[in-house]
PDB file of all heavy atoms in Angstrom:
ATOM      1  N   ARG A  53      39.484  78.846  -1.199  1.00 80.00           N
ATOM      2  CA  ARG A  53      40.184  77.652  -0.716  1.00 80.00           C
ATOM      3  C   ARG A  53      40.495  77.771   0.772  1.00 80.00           C
ATOM      4  O   ARG A  53      40.671  78.877   1.293  1.00 80.00           O
ATOM      5  CB  ARG A  53      41.496  77.454  -1.473  1.00 80.00           C
ATOM      6  CG  ARG A  53      41.360  77.259  -2.976  1.00 80.00           C
ATOM      7  CD  ARG A  53      42.720  76.967  -3.585  1.00 80.00           C
ATOM      8  NE  ARG A  53      42.695  76.964  -5.034  1.00 80.00           N
ATOM      9  CZ  ARG A  53      42.361  75.916  -5.779  1.00 80.00           C
ATOM     10  NH1 ARG A  53      42.012  74.786  -5.184  1.00 80.00           N
ATOM     11  NH2 ARG A  53      42.377  75.997  -7.097  1.00 80.00           N
ATOM     12  N   PRO A  82      50.415  89.072   2.338  1.00 92.00           N
ATOM     13  CA  PRO A  82      51.867  88.858   2.293  1.00 92.00           C
ATOM     14  C   PRO A  82      52.262  87.620   1.502  1.00 92.00           C
ATOM     15  O   PRO A  82      53.332  87.597   0.883  1.00 92.00           O
ATOM     16  CB  PRO A  82      52.256  88.744   3.769  1.00 92.00           C
ATOM     17  CG  PRO A  82      50.989  88.502   4.511  1.00 92.00           C
ATOM     18  CD  PRO A  82      49.905  89.126   3.714  1.00 92.00           C
ATOM     19  N   LEU A  87      54.776  85.855  -5.559  1.00 93.00           N
ATOM     20  CA  LEU A  87      54.570  85.947  -7.006  1.00 93.00           C
ATOM     21  C   LEU A  87      55.378  87.074  -7.643  1.00 93.00           C
ATOM     22  O   LEU A  87      55.481  87.136  -8.872  1.00 93.00           O
ATOM     23  CB  LEU A  87      53.082  86.159  -7.313  1.00 93.00           C
ATOM     24  CG  LEU A  87      52.120  85.063  -6.856  1.00 93.00           C
ATOM     25  CD1 LEU A  87      50.700  85.411  -7.275  1.00 93.00           C
ATOM     26  CD2 LEU A  87      52.530  83.711  -7.425  1.00 93.00           C
ATOM     27  N   MET A 102      50.380  96.658   3.105  1.00 93.00           N
ATOM     28  CA  MET A 102      50.624  96.045   4.415  1.00 93.00           C
ATOM     29  C   MET A 102      49.435  96.323   5.330  1.00 93.00           C
ATOM     30  O   MET A 102      49.330  97.388   5.922  1.00 93.00           O
ATOM     31  CB  MET A 102      51.906  96.609   5.029  1.00 93.00           C
ATOM     32  CG  MET A 102      53.140  96.428   4.174  1.00 93.00           C
ATOM     33  SD  MET A 102      54.621  97.183   4.917  1.00 93.00           S
ATOM     34  CE  MET A 102      54.909  96.084   6.308  1.00 93.00           C
ATOM     35  N   ARG A 156      64.216  99.642   0.169  1.00 91.00           N
ATOM     36  CA  ARG A 156      63.375  99.635  -1.020  1.00 91.00           C
ATOM     37  C   ARG A 156      62.064  98.915  -0.731  1.00 91.00           C
ATOM     38  O   ARG A 156      62.037  97.983   0.072  1.00 91.00           O
ATOM     39  CB  ARG A 156      64.113  98.942  -2.178  1.00 91.00           C
ATOM     40  CG  ARG A 156      65.406  99.637  -2.584  1.00 91.00           C
ATOM     41  CD  ARG A 156      66.055  98.942  -3.756  1.00 91.00           C
ATOM     42  NE  ARG A 156      65.191  98.943  -4.933  1.00 91.00           N
ATOM     43  CZ  ARG A 156      65.477  98.276  -6.056  1.00 91.00           C
ATOM     44  NH1 ARG A 156      66.586  97.559  -6.143  1.00 91.00           N
ATOM     45  NH2 ARG A 156      64.664  98.326  -7.079  1.00 91.00           N
ATOM     46  N   TYR A 218      25.854  93.110  21.786  1.00 98.00           N
ATOM     47  CA  TYR A 218      25.616  92.600  20.440  1.00 98.00           C
ATOM     48  C   TYR A 218      26.973  92.244  19.839  1.00 98.00           C
ATOM     49  O   TYR A 218      27.856  93.103  19.721  1.00 98.00           O
ATOM     50  CB  TYR A 218      24.911  93.647  19.581  1.00 98.00           C
ATOM     51  CG  TYR A 218      23.592  94.112  20.152  1.00 98.00           C
ATOM     52  CD1 TYR A 218      23.231  95.463  20.125  1.00 98.00           C
ATOM     53  CD2 TYR A 218      22.703  93.217  20.728  1.00 98.00           C
ATOM     54  CE1 TYR A 218      22.025  95.895  20.639  1.00 98.00           C
ATOM     55  CE2 TYR A 218      21.490  93.634  21.257  1.00 98.00           C
ATOM     56  CZ  TYR A 218      21.158  94.973  21.210  1.00 98.00           C
ATOM     57  OH  TYR A 218      19.963  95.405  21.735  1.00 98.00           O
ATOM     58  N   VAL A 319      39.852  92.328  32.374  1.00 97.00           N
ATOM     59  CA  VAL A 319      38.439  92.187  32.736  1.00 97.00           C
ATOM     60  C   VAL A 319      38.060  93.252  33.756  1.00 97.00           C
ATOM     61  O   VAL A 319      37.018  93.918  33.634  1.00 97.00           O
ATOM     62  CB  VAL A 319      38.159  90.773  33.281  1.00 97.00           C
ATOM     63  CG1 VAL A 319      36.750  90.695  33.873  1.00 97.00           C
ATOM     64  CG2 VAL A 319      38.327  89.731  32.178  1.00 97.00           C
ATOM     65  N   GLU A 345      31.795 113.956  14.956  1.00 97.00           N
ATOM     66  CA  GLU A 345      32.358 115.150  14.330  1.00 97.00           C
ATOM     67  C   GLU A 345      33.861 115.003  14.110  1.00 97.00           C
ATOM     68  O   GLU A 345      34.405 115.521  13.126  1.00 97.00           O
ATOM     69  CB  GLU A 345      32.053 116.384  15.179  1.00 97.00           C
ATOM     70  CG  GLU A 345      30.590 116.787  15.137  1.00 97.00           C
ATOM     71  CD  GLU A 345      30.077 116.931  13.711  1.00 97.00           C
ATOM     72  OE1 GLU A 345      30.713 117.664  12.918  1.00 97.00           O
ATOM     73  OE2 GLU A 345      29.051 116.301  13.379  1.00 97.00           O
TER      74      GLU A 345
END
Side-chain angles (χ1 to χ4, degrees):
R53 299 184 188 275
L87 299 182
M102 303 177 70
R156 299 182 61 187
Y218 302 138
V319 171
E345 289 308 307

